[in-house]
Amino acid sequence: MDEFKNRKTPRLKTFDYNTVGVYFITICTENRKCILSRVVGTGVRGFIPYCPCPPLIDRAKIELTAYGKIAEKYIKQLNDFYEHLSVEHYVIMPNHIHLLLFIKGKRDKFAHLITDSRGQRLT
C-alpha cells in the first residue's frame, strides 16, 4: 500500500473528468504479466525469389487467453451497464488493455458536435 502513497497521478488537476469527451485508457496487469493474450505470427514480409507476386506477410494477430476472453466479455458489456458510456475501440494486448471510452451526456453544450470514427453523432 505504501507504493501508492508516493505514486504521481497522471491526471490533470484542473481538468474535470466528468465532462463529455473521448478518453484513452490503459489498464495494465499486475506486475505486467502477459496473461491476457499472445501475439501469433511474425508480421514479417516473406520474399519468394523470381516470383512476380508481391511479398507475403505473415500477419501478426492477437490470440486471447481465457483471461483475455473474460476481459473482452466485460468490455463489450460496458455499453449496456452505463447509459452515458460508449466503448468506441479497444485492443487487448498480452499485458495491458487499451480503451477509447466516450463519455456522453446532455450537460455539455458541445456534446452534439462529437462524432465517432464514421462521422456519426454519439449523443
Side-chain angles (χ1 to χ4, degrees):
M1 277 306 222
D2 290 335
E3 67 185 80
F4 294 113
K5 290 180 184 177
N6 298 326
R7 186 173 166 197
K8 288 173 81 174
T9 179
R11 293 178 177 229
L12 294 172
K13 292 179 183 176
T14 58
F15 186 75
D16 179 7
Y17 286 91
N18 290 315
T19 59
V20 169
V22 179
Y23 296 87
F24 180 81
I25 297 173
T26 300
I27 303 169
C28 297
T29 59
E30 184 177 23
N31 298 321
R32 302 247 164 98
K33 289 184 181 177
C34 295
I35 59 171
L36 299 172
S37 66
R38 62 184 155 273
V39 179
V40 179
T42 63
V44 176
R45 291 181 179 271
F47 179 72
I48 303 172
Y50 309 108
C51 180
C53 57
L56 301 173
I57 297 178
D58 178 14
R59 298 204 183 267
K61 293 183 251 178
I62 297 291
E63 187 176 277
L64 297 180
T65 64
Y67 293 117
K69 289 176 184 176
I70 292 169
E72 182 175 55
K73 172 186 170 185
Y74 287 104
I75 289 169
K76 288 181 174 181
Q77 290 179 359
L78 285 173
N79 295 339
D80 299 330
F81 288 129
Y82 300 101
E83 181 179 335
H84 297 292
L85 178 85
S86 173
V87 178
E88 291 302 306
H89 299 283
Y90 67 91
V91 62
I92 300 173
M93 301 301 288
N95 63 0
H96 64 282
I97 299 170
H98 292 297
L99 296 158
L100 267 180
L101 296 180
F102 177 61
I103 308 295
K104 355 180 200 182
K106 295 178 178 147
R107 62 187 176 276
D108 191 307
K109 63 182 176 181
F110 299 109
H112 67 284
L113 301 175
I114 300 173
T115 61
D116 68 6
S117 60
R118 296 176 302 273
Q120 297 176 345
R121 285 192 183 154
L122 297 174
T123 56

